Amino acid sequence: MPFRLLVPFGLLCALLPLHHGAPGPDGTAPDPAHYRARVKAMFYHAYDSYLENAFPYDELRPLTCDGHDTWGSFSLTLIDALDTLLILGNVSEFQRVVEVLQDNVDFDIDVNASVFETNIRVVGGLLSAHLLSKRAGVEVEAGWPCSGPLLRMAEEAARKLLPAFQTPTGMPYGTVNLLHGVNPGETPVTCTAGIGTFIVEFATLSSLTGDPVFEDVARVALMRLWESRSDIGLVGNHIDVLTGKWVAQDAGIGAGVDSYFEYLVKGAILLQDKKLMAMFLEYNKAIRNYTRFDDWYLWVQMYKGTVSMPVFQSLEAYWPGLQTLIGDIDNAMRTFLNYYTVWKQFGGLPEFYNIPQGYTVEKREGYPLRPELIESAMYLYRATGDPTLLELGRDAVESIEKISKVECGFATKDHSGCSVENGLEGLRMRAMSHPERTQAGKTEINSGYRHVKTKCVSK
Ligand SMILES: *[C@@H]1O[C@H](CO)[C@@H](O)[C@H](O)[C@H]1NC(C)=O
Ligand SMILES: *[C@@H]1O[C@H](CO)[C@@H](O)[C@H](O)[C@H]1NC(C)=O
Ligand SMILES: *[C@@H]1O[C@H](CO)[C@@H](O)[C@H](O)[C@H]1NC(C)=O
């Protein structure tokens, strides 16, 4: 399951303007104004292609220039794009899209939805749009931010997910039917990230609606995962939510686990919650002790600590950003540079990379336009001002345009240049579909995550 989070183009925009003439590898300074304009043009190339060819479907298929529903039937790309529109200064389009979503999106539909994706993209995207709407010039209703149409939509979507949490362990199923609840015979096996990636949106929702149920279920799921760690302090990849037994026992920082760690740290910062941070720091010790080799992170058996897979996955590139958020800058930079070396070798991050052998795992070499390394570069640059990080920003723009731009958007290609993927792994327009970021908005991204200050009372 692809578990990646956040942020391609919006953050590049926020990153590049800070550049003050750092030299490129060939001694020339990339011009920030030039890259700012390029990133903007890239966004509109994708966004306008979506509007022309794919709306009202969830996503654009850039090769066939048409659209299809992927995670539901929510015009998901519009929700993904909202905060980026504001960052790019397009308030009129933001306002138009808010109207369109209010008129068109319906969650009373017979769709089997991913609980994880629906949370991070739909609930998260609507919450951030809600919190940003005043700044975007939308006429907000009395009582905002404790009320508003987008908040009601986010709450409605989140309520559709709650039946998934009704399990003996409190850990959620991975899929729920938006109309009927959990399907009979639904698999009880959920990946770790699918259990531990709710606290940011759900705690925000509880603060804004005054209903504690969302934060409560998210916290119970986090506690159950914590209690399920092995004696050596690691968690596996998939667990049975009915029995609490680990089904996949590979421990690592990548696919299937990644955003669990990310949400412990970002949740700790957003909520100023020492318990969440303490959990992460304990995991961090075990991860460094058992999975780290030369500033690479491998997969190990969660009970024994023995190496099970010596691969790097592109999804893991969020880790230097997380290390930066906890102030571990030196380690973050070393790991970032490992990953950046791979990027330079392939002109993008391959999905899987065999670390000891230095080649990509067969059939997995395409760069699926994932934003993780770019996000890490952004955090590290904020912390260090090191110009190497701007070079990654420049390289990302150049590679994405070169390897993936097609007439109707951006698509994934493999490195033989032969086959190109149409669809889901195409452009990730979701910019910052997370309230803690977009609450912060463009300028405050500087200071990282803001705290949730608003507490609303239940109506
Ligand atoms: C906002 O976005 C719409 C749709 O792409 C576009 O037509 C319009 O020109 C944009 N406005 C600004 C100010 O960028
Ligand atoms: C949802 O999943 C259930 C169980 O697998 C299946 O019976 C049902 O047809 C699916 N519904 C839709 C709309 O795909
Ligand atoms: C690190 O691993 C060793 C075994 O290799 C173990 O004895 C030690 O307790 C571990 N320390 C931590 C902090 O996990």
Side-chain angles (χ1 to χ4, degrees), residues 132-168:
L132 288 166
S133 52
K134 191 169 187 182
R135 192 188 299 200
V138 173
E139 221 168 285
V140 296
E141 61 185 47
W144 181 93
C146 300
S147 73
L150 294 170
L151 176 61
R152 285 189 287 276
M153 285 171 75
E155 181 179 354
E156 195 193 337
R159 284 204 189 278
K160 298 285 189 181
L161 306 181
L162 291 179
F165 291 81
Q166 302 299 310
T167 63

Side-chain angles (χ1 to χ4, degrees), residues 329-350:
I329 307 292
D330 292 346
N331 283 311
M333 190 57 109
R334 282 199 294 272
T335 298
F336 175 85
L337 291 173
N338 278 348
Y339 298 168
Y340 190 19
T341 306
V342 179
W343 176 294
K344 284 187 190 153
Q345 189 181 341
F346 295 96
L349 281 186

Side-chain angles (χ1 to χ4, degrees), residues 243-278:
T243 64
K245 293 233 155 43
W246 289 103
V247 176
Q249 301 185 349
D250 297 297
I253 61 170
V257 189
D258 48 9
S259 53
Y260 169 41
F261 296 134
E262 186 181 10
Y263 270 44
L264 286 177
V265 172
K266 293 177 179 176
I269 296 171
L270 182 71
L271 305 168
Q272 291 294 287
D273 186 316
K274 293 197 173 69
K275 261 167 43 193
L276 295 180
M277 187 59 91

Side-chain angles (χ1 to χ4, degrees), residues 21-92:
D26 56 357
T28 58
D31 171 12
H34 167 80
Y35 280 99
R36 203 179 304 140
R38 286 268 295 280
V39 168
K40 222 169 171 171
M42 288 166 79
F43 173 81
Y44 283 111
H45 173 62
Y47 183 76
D48 291 341
S49 296
Y50 168 79
L51 287 183
E52 278 161 36
N53 303 293
F55 176 78
Y57 292 105
D58 280 338
E59 294 186 20
L60 169 71
R61 286 192 290 201
L63 296 181
T64 41
C65 297
D66 59 4
H68 66 158
D69 282 333
T70 50
W71 296 104
S73 190
F74 314 122
S75 303
L76 189 55
T77 297
L78 287 186
I79 301 178
D80 282 343
L82 265 174
D83 40 19
T84 307
L85 285 169
L86 185 59
I87 287 163
L88 299 186
N90 197 334
V91 292
S92 58

